[in-house]
Amino acid sequence: DFALALQDQKGRPISPDEYLDEALKAAPLAGFDQERGQGAREVRQSLMRFFRERGCMTLVQPVVDEDKLQRLDSIPFNSLRAEFRSGVETMRERLVTTCAANPKTVGSQ
């Protein structure tokens, strides 16, 4: 869980898709061990290679109340914030449409 300001390095607003592209191209943070940094770099490169068409969406917090947030798995979907439910539905529709238009194969299957 975190709050994210969608801004570039210079503080200009960017879209969620631009944020994802910047995150995938980012260099490892200083102070982390090289092996971990190399592993993270390989994951990012694989995501860019296998998913040439990709997107990112932001969602509002599902509930406002901190106590409810701690037991989110027990709260019915229809009790979550309307903005969150709408965002999830939009994301689901986008995912289904994208997958139907661009099916992925593994081992030619």
Side-chain angles (χ1 to χ4, degrees), residues 4-101:
L4 176 67
L6 292 175
Q7 299 176 338
D8 66 11
Q9 299 279 354
K10 296 180 180 178
R12 295 178 298 223
I14 59 173
S15 72
D17 289 345
E18 290 168 322
Y19 169 80
L20 175 61
D21 284 339
E22 284 188 14
L24 289 173
K25 294 173 185 171
L29 298 174
F32 284 99
D33 64 68
Q34 282 188 318
E35 186 175 317
R36 183 175 175 191
Q38 180 61 28
R41 185 174 15 265
E42 289 171 4
V43 169
R44 290 193 307 272
Q45 288 171 344
S46 293
L47 288 170
M48 289 188 293
R49 185 172 56 250
F50 293 122
F51 298 97
R52 296 197 188 282
E53 292 184 39
R54 55 191 171 269
C56 181
M57 292 184 64
T58 58
L59 296 170
V60 298
Q61 190 169 303
V63 292
V64 176
D65 184 297
E66 184 67 31
D67 291 332
K68 288 182 180 178
L69 193 58
Q70 294 301 318
R71 44 189 183 80
L72 195 56
D73 61 336
S74 66
I75 298 175
F77 184 74
N78 62 355
S79 296
L80 301 177
R81 290 172 63 188
E83 301 95 330
F84 178 80
R85 292 191 322 262
S86 175
V88 169
E89 182 59 25
T90 299
M91 182 172 52
R92 186 194 70 75
E93 290 171 4
R94 185 174 171 183
L95 182 61
V96 168
T97 301
T98 300
C99 289

